[in-house]
Amino acid sequence: MAFVRSRANASSGIGVAAECKQTFLELQRKKSHRYVIFKIDDKCKEVVVDKTGSSTESFDDFMDSLPESDCRYAIYDFDFVTEENCQKSKIFFVAWSPSVSRIRAKMLYATSKERFRRELDGVHYEIQATDPSELDIELLRDRAH
C-alpha cells in the first residue's frame, strides 16, 4: 500500500491560501500594509491571513498584534534612511514561536515554515523569535544596514 502525500507541504501537509500571496504582494508592491500576520487555520489545513496593519502603523503596533502564547508567521516592511540619505525598505519574515505556546503548535509551525516562506518571493531577512526581546526594532535596523 502506497501513501500519497499532498503537494501542499510534504513535511506537514499544510497548504497556503491564495490570499496570503496576494496580501504579501500588496505589502511588497503597493505598500498598502506595514505588516501582515499569518496563522495556520483551526482545521490545520492551510496558512491564512490573520491580520494586516495599515502603512501608517508602527513597529509597536506590530509587536502588540503578535499573540503572547500562540505561534504565527509575520511579514514586516521596515523603512529606513541610509547614510547617503536615501529612503530604503527591507522586508522581514518573522517566525514567531513563544516559549509558552503549545508544543504541538510549535512543531506544526516549524515543519510548515519553509514551504510557506518559499511562497513569499522578495523577503530580504528572516528572524526566528520566541520572546519580544528577540524581536526588537534595533535588530531590524542592524540587519537592514
Side-chain angles (χ1 to χ4, degrees):
M1 179 174 178
F3 289 91
V4 179
R5 285 192 166 168
S6 167
R7 294 284 296 151
N9 185 348
S11 299
S12 66
I14 302 290
V16 178
E19 69 171 325
C20 293
K21 181 114 180 174
Q22 184 60 39
T23 307
F24 172 71
L25 291 173
E26 289 171 5
L27 176 142
Q28 183 185 34
R29 296 187 180 147
K30 297 179 184 174
K31 302 289 185 193
S32 21
H33 310 292
R34 171 68 56 209
Y35 61 86
V36 182
I37 297 176
F38 305 93
K39 70 176 185 173
I40 296 176
D41 70 358
D42 296 333
K43 296 177 182 169
C44 297
K45 297 285 185 196
E46 64 183 358
V47 178
V48 296
V49 174
D50 184 31
K51 182 176 189 215
T52 59
S54 72
S55 57
T56 59
E57 290 194 37
S58 69
F59 184 75
D60 290 335
D61 296 325
F62 168 68
M63 290 300 295
D64 290 343
S65 297
L66 292 171
E68 292 179 14
S69 61
D70 203 4
C71 302
R72 292 290 187 271
Y73 301 124
I75 296 293
Y76 186 80
D77 188 7
F78 179 66
D79 292 331
F80 63 100
V81 178
T82 65
E83 291 176 6
E84 295 82 28
N85 207 25
C86 295
Q87 184 70 33
K88 295 269 187 173
S89 174
K90 296 288 182 187
I91 298 174
F92 286 82
F93 176 84
V94 178
W96 177 250
S97 184
S99 52
V100 295
S101 59
R102 296 183 331 265
I103 291 174
R104 184 177 188 283
K106 289 181 195 179
M107 289 174 48
L108 187 59
Y109 275 81
T111 57
S112 305
K113 181 180 84 167
E114 279 308 309
R115 163 71 169 91
F116 179 60
R117 170 71 175 76
R118 281 195 310 266
E119 291 289 323
L120 308 176
D121 190 33
V123 170
H124 299 107
Y125 301 103
E126 183 174 323
I127 298 173
Q128 175 128 9
T130 59
D131 174 273
S133 67
E134 296 174 351
L135 187 59
D136 184 62
I137 191 75
E138 291 304 319
L139 174 71
L140 271 64
R141 194 170 283 121
D142 290 346
R143 289 260 181 105
H145 286 91

